[in-house]
Amino acid sequence: MNYPAYAQPSTEQYCQAPGCKNPNLSDEERLLAAIFRKEGEAFLARTAVPGSDLCTWHHKQFPKVLKDLSSLWPNLETGLYRKGTGQANTAVQTSGVSDIAQMWNPHISEVMHEVEEWLAFIVRTVKTEHELPSTFVHVDEIGRSTTTYTRRTKFTENPRMIFASLAVHEANWLSHHPTLGASLLDDALEHRRNIIRALDTDPVRRVGISNSVCAHEVDDTVFGALICMAPMVGILNEADSIRPSVVVCSAHPKTHGIFTRDQWMELRTHAKPR
């Protein structure tokens, strides 16, 4: 497989996937691993595929998890907003808040943005590091079907289709990546767990906050601070259906600034020009 110069073949003997266990170890080998404890944990794992950090079993698992993420994405889209009657609103979240439904799930909003950011990183990695013709024909493992794969088209579709495309065409290259393979699998498994948990949470009522953006510092780059420009929204509780109890970022309500009503009013007062 072709990788950039910085990604030298891994020299790991055992699979680096967390919790990997070799089911074929003898009792003596397991006892030896238990005696050495931390040092023996790697010994319990399956043997890594030469040049990579993962075993055959985990290389096969990676595209399956990508397919799971593809299948789960529509559930996130329909669960993000719900009408007051309990009917799903299938409108996909945008950068604005003009299409605010009565009920909004902040857990799903957070997860969707986290997954989209991770997916964007994978797409950038594939585009810049995996050298392939712009269009090529993919043949399945038993040679019974072919698929014409055009990256320019596939990577401009929605996350569901991008995940599906990666699972078929890029997963093997990604999981064997000497530098990223094990961490990408770990990330994929964590995102799947987070999605499942988010889908099991209850929505809340929200209202838009006019002329307000998050302004949370996402990163400090050589060009200056990278600021989150997502609109702020207020969450209403049952006791007060008019004034918000807390104000949060519409894109990252769990990890960016969270303000109580009093804190937000004080912040807005100080922010007004004198």
Side-chain angles (χ1 to χ4, degrees):
M1 295 186 188
N2 53 330
Y3 293 103
Y6 80 86
Q8 295 298 310
S10 174
T11 58
E12 293 289 349
Q13 182 179 358
Y14 298 104
C15 180
Q16 300 301 298
C20 182
K21 293 290 185 291
N22 187 344
N24 300 319
L25 291 180
S26 66
D27 292 340
E28 290 78 11
E29 289 172 324
R30 295 181 187 279
L31 178 60
L32 182 63
I35 292 173
F36 287 99
R37 295 191 177 181
K38 284 286 184 182
E39 294 78 2
E41 288 181 1
F43 181 72
L44 287 171
R46 300 177 180 89
T47 302
V49 173
S52 78
D53 287 332
L54 298 175
C55 63
T56 300
W57 192 92
H58 279 104
H59 280 302
K60 291 181 179 179
Q61 184 190 33
F62 185 60
K64 294 178 181 178
V65 180
L66 292 180
K67 290 178 181 177
D68 288 343
L69 295 174
S70 175
S71 298
L72 288 167
W73 190 261
N75 296 335
L76 292 174
E77 291 181 340
T78 56
L80 181 59
Y81 300 117
R82 291 190 180 278
K83 296 183 183 298
T85 58
Q87 295 176 336
N89 176 4
T90 57
V92 179
Q93 184 180 25
T94 66
S95 59
V97 293
S98 58
D99 186 28
I100 296 177
Q102 252 189 317
M103 305 299 290
W104 170 62
N105 193 314
H107 301 274
I108 290 179
S109 182
E110 185 80 42
V111 166
M112 289 180 76
H113 279 84
E114 288 176 351
V115 172
E116 285 178 319
E117 290 170 358
W118 179 70
L119 181 59
F121 165 74
I122 294 179
V123 169
R124 287 195 304 270
T125 300
V126 168
K127 283 183 174 180
T128 58
E129 297 187 4
H130 192 191
E131 296 181 4
L132 285 177
S134 58
T135 300
F136 71 99
V137 176
H138 170 83
V139 182
D140 68 13
E141 294 180 359
I142 56 177
R144 292 196 307 192
S145 64
T146 62
T147 305
T148 301
Y149 169 50
T150 306
R151 276 183 175 168
R152 182 177 298 177
T153 301
K154 294 298 183 183
F155 287 169
T156 56
E157 296 178 345
N158 65 25
R160 179 186 181 184
M161 298 306 298
I162 296 176
F163 274 126
S165 180
L166 289 171
V168 174
H169 302 293
E170 309 284 359
N172 191 51
W173 183 87
L174 287 166
S175 67
H176 282 80
H177 196 293
T179 305
L180 300 174
S183 62
L184 288 177
L185 173 62
D186 196 30
D187 290 343
L189 291 168
E190 181 179 6
H191 286 311
R192 186 175 66 178
R193 289 192 296 268
N194 291 341
I195 288 174
I196 293 172
R197 283 196 292 263
L199 290 172
D200 196 37
T201 59
D202 294 325
V204 296
R205 291 185 62 196
R206 79 172 189 177
V207 293
I209 306 293
S210 61
N211 302 319
S212 298
V213 296
C214 176
H216 178 86
E217 184 173 327
V218 178
D219 195 11
D220 187 13
T221 71
V222 294
F223 303 104
L226 183 62
I227 302 298
C228 175
M229 297 300 293
M232 298 294 284
V233 294
I235 296 178
L236 307 176
N237 58 33
E238 294 181 1
D240 190 341
S241 61
I242 300 176
R243 295 174 297 177
S245 57
V246 293
V247 177
V248 299
C249 171
S250 59
H252 295 279
K254 298 298 178 183
T255 55
H256 288 186
I258 301 175
F259 304 92
T260 65
R261 183 170 59 201
D262 292 340
Q263 289 172 332
W264 180 254
M265 294 303 296
E266 182 179 359
L267 182 65
R268 291 296 294 270
T269 299
H270 290 165
K272 291 181 179 178
R274 298 183 181 277

